[in-house]
């Protein structure tokens, strides 16, 4: 059996490793258009900010290590076409420009996502960046050394993390967001405002409701033109979202979902026999709503890759879906969410209610306790948990979100959460943890 994998980062290398364990006799070849494989892209802002010492520290496995496990890795090789009828792919060596045809018995498309670049961001000006992979990070890091004023366009995960990173490097930072608040699709409005206040407390100039119209400058960017005037900047980061790389899947004849990402079943199989898809380019099922969603996150990509690897190698595994759990750090705050926000529930027409609890992350009398805020959301009538949002001044405290995430996958109720036997000691929580307090109040409303 010959397994061909397109894309050598999270999903691709997870699939290759799992397929090798499951079928030691399979021939496995990974084509990666870049120069690195198996690295933690989520760590890129923390290298920029100095919390991680180098980009090399983000690399989990090298090509040599994977080859030592019997997995062929070809760097700087671009798969440009698929003939699913003949079960072949067309591959171009980017170093030589030569192309060849490679056969497969099973094909995995793990092509990830690309940063969205609005028309105004397609420019030859220096100092204009996106952040998706290690080369992007290296280019941004080089620009930071010569910059004084940064403008970040976009208030999502990457924009928020980079605001802190660039402030820590001594730059003045303006963050522009087209929507009414930062973290717009992650949190409810009052929690968004808490995040914005934290950014502003640390010197980030946050401007919401702003539309970017263009860039100014000669060889290097000098400003960002908006509908509310010019923002001076010698460094611009475009962080307005990502789009799934689906060109290869379309070439193979695979169906796309309503989200625009590749549609797959629970085995990560596309609509084309022998062709699989996994990772950030791929749809999944939301375990709370049962709807198809596109939520590109690191754990999801790795888990999809494992499922695809088992199945391509002859096994039978199923991907259970996602609940949309996310977490980030904004200066002194930890911020997390899972499942649905109240805004999400309202948009979907669900009969939902939320409660807010503000407390301390551990026993209030303990000298290290810090404030924590929790919003818990459930369905009226059934009491089924729908989601949670947490903000804590000790950023590690919001990992409590994992408790709710685990219960969402089991379609648990607010009462189930209240009944959970959570650990207690004064340095870790109050005897009634903030999640239990929230669950008790929520149960009384549903």
């Amino acid at each position: 059996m010959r397994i061909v994998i397109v894309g050598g980062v999270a999903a691709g290398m997870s699939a290759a490793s799992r397929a090798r364990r499951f079928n030691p006799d399979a021939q496995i070849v990974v084509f990666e258009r870049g120069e690195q494989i198996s690295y933690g892209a989520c760590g890129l802002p923390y290298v920029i900010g100095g919390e991680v010492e180098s980009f090399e520290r983000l690399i989990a496995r090298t090509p040599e290590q994977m080859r030592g496990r019997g997995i062929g890795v070809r760097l700087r090789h671009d798969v440009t076409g698929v003939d699913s009828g003949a079960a072949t792919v067309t591959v171009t060596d980017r170093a030589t420009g030569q192309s060849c045809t490679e056969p497969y018995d099973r094909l995995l498309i793990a092509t990830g996502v690309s940063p969205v670049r609005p028309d105004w961001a397609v420019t030859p000006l220096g100092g204009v960046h996106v952040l998706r992979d290690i080369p992007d990070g290296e280019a941004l890091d080089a620009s930071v050394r010569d910059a004084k004023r940064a403008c970040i366009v976009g208030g999502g995960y990457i924009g928020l993390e980079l605001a802190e990173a660039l402030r820590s490097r001594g730059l003045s930072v303006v963050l522009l967001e087209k929507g009414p608040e930062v973290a717009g699709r992650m949190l409810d409005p009052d929690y968004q405002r808490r995040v914005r206040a934290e950014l502003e407390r640390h010197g980030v100039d946050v401007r919401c409701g702003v539309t970017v119209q263009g860039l100014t400058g000669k060889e290097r960017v000098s400003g960002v033109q908006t509908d509310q005037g010019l923002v001076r900047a010698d460094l611009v980061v475009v962080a307005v979202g990502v789009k799934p790389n689906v060109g290869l899947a379309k070439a193979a004849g695979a169906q796309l979902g309503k989200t625009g990402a590749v549609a797959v079943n629970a085995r990560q199989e596309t609509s084309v026999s022998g062709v699989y898809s996994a990772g950030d380019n791929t749809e999944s099922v939301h375990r709370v709503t049962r709807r198809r969603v596109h939520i590109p996150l690191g754990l999801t990509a790795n888990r999809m890759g494992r499922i695809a690897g088992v199945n391509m190698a002859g096994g039978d595994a199923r991907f259970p879906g996602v609940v949309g759990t996310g977490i980030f750090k904004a200066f002194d705050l930890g911020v997390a969410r899972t499942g649905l926000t109240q805004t999400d529930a309202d948009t979907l027409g669900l009969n939902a209610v939320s409660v807010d609890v503000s407390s301390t992350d551990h026993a209030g009398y303990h000298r290290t306790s810090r404030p924590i805020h929790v919003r818990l959301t459930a369905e009226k009538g059934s009491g089924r948990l729908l989601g949670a949002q947490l903000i804590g001044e000790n950023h590690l405290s919001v990992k409590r979100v994992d408790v709710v995430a685990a219960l969402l996958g089991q379609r648990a109720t607010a009462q189930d959460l209240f009944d959970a036997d959570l650990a207690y000691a004064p340095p870790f929580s109050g005897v009634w943890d903030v999640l239990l307090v929230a669950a008790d109040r929520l149960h009384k409303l549903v």
Side-chain angles (χ1 to χ4, degrees), residues 150-165:
C151 180
I152 299 170
V153 184
Y157 286 119
I158 295 295
L160 295 171
E161 290 171 341
L162 280 176
E164 178 178 355

Side-chain angles (χ1 to χ4, degrees), residues 232-263:
R232 295 180 62 195
D234 51 11
L235 175 70
V236 175
V237 181
V238 183
V240 296
V242 296
K243 57 184 177 182
N245 296 324
V246 297
L248 206 60
K250 290 171 67 175
Q255 275 190 331
L256 303 185
K258 291 182 179 179
T259 68
V262 183

Side-chain angles (χ1 to χ4, degrees), residues 39-348:
Y39 61 86
C42 295
L44 293 169
Y46 301 99
V47 181
I48 300 296
E51 295 183 60
V52 178
E53 64 187 31
S54 68
F55 292 104
E56 288 72 24
R57 292 284 294 165
L58 304 181
I59 297 173
R61 297 286 186 274
T62 65
E64 292 73 24
Q65 287 172 319
M66 300 308 291
R67 290 168 186 146
R69 299 168 62 182
I71 297 171
V73 177
R74 303 187 195 177
L75 300 178
R76 296 177 292 278
H77 278 67
D78 202 359
V79 177
T80 57
V82 181
D83 185 337
S84 56
T88 61
V89 295
T90 302
V91 185
T92 300
D93 184 333
R94 300 180 70 193
T96 66
Q98 295 183 333
S99 295
C100 64
T101 299
E102 297 274 352
Y104 66 83
D105 295 301
R106 299 288 185 271
L107 172 66
L108 174 64
I109 300 173
T111 46
V113 293
S114 294
V116 172
R117 296 176 187 259
D119 290 343
W120 58 260
V122 181
T123 175
L125 290 174
V128 181
H129 299 271
V130 294
L131 184 63
R132 184 60 194 164
D133 54 26
I134 287 180
D136 288 340
E138 291 171 334
L140 175 56
D141 186 57
S143 279
V144 168
R145 297 170 194 168
D146 300 321
K148 294 182 179 179
R149 298 183 181 89
C151 180
I152 299 170
V153 184
Y157 286 119
I158 295 295
L160 295 171
E161 290 171 341
L162 280 176
E164 178 178 355
L166 296 178
R167 285 294 292 145
S168 72
R169 294 284 293 270
L171 278 67
S172 67
V173 176
V174 176
L175 190 150
L176 304 179
E177 167 57 44
K178 187 175 183 179
E181 272 297 349
V182 298
R185 286 177 290 180
M186 296 180 277
L187 304 169
D188 282 327
D190 43 353
Y191 278 59
Q192 295 166 11
R193 288 190 286 270
R194 290 182 186 273
V195 174
R196 177 177 181 171
E198 180 70 3
L199 297 177
E200 292 174 337
R201 190 170 74 86
H202 285 83
V204 179
D205 182 356
V206 181
R207 306 181 192 181
C208 297
V210 176
T211 298
V212 174
Q213 298 173 328
L215 303 173
T216 62
K218 294 183 179 179
E219 294 183 359
R220 181 170 179 136
V221 67
S222 62
V224 178
Q225 186 65 53
T226 78
D227 61 346
Q228 298 181 23
L230 181 68
V231 177
R232 295 180 62 195
D234 51 11
L235 175 70
V236 175
V237 181
V238 183
V240 296
V242 296
K243 57 184 177 182
N245 296 324
V246 297
L248 206 60
K250 290 171 67 175
Q255 275 190 331
L256 303 185
K258 291 182 179 179
T259 68
V262 183
V264 294
N265 61 19
R267 288 171 46 85
Q268 301 301 136
E269 295 170 320
T270 71
S271 58
V272 179
S273 178
V275 180
Y276 296 71
S277 183
D280 289 353
N281 61 315
T282 308
E283 281 189 340
S284 55
V285 173
H286 199 293
R287 297 177 73 177
V288 175
T289 66
R290 303 301 192 194
R291 293 169 177 253
R292 295 280 174 176
V293 293
H294 177 233
I295 304 177
L297 293 171
L299 176 60
T300 302
N302 278 279
R303 185 166 283 160
M304 282 182 174
R306 285 168 62 94
I307 298 299
V310 168
N311 293 326
M312 289 190 299
D316 185 18
R318 299 287 193 277
F319 181 61
V322 301
V323 295
T325 308
I327 192 167
F328 65 94
K329 179 176 173 288
F331 293 97
D332 296 332
L333 293 184
V335 186
R337 59 78 49 89
T338 190
L340 307 181
T341 64
Q342 181 68 46
T343 304
D344 293 333
D346 292 343
T347 301
L348 292 169

Side-chain angles (χ1 to χ4, degrees), residues 25-48:
D25 298 323
Q27 183 184 3
I28 304 170
V29 182
V30 179
F31 294 105
E32 167 55 45
R33 73 188 311 273
E35 298 186 3
Q36 294 97 4
I37 62 165
S38 193
Y39 61 86
C42 295
L44 293 169
Y46 301 99
V47 181
I48 300 296

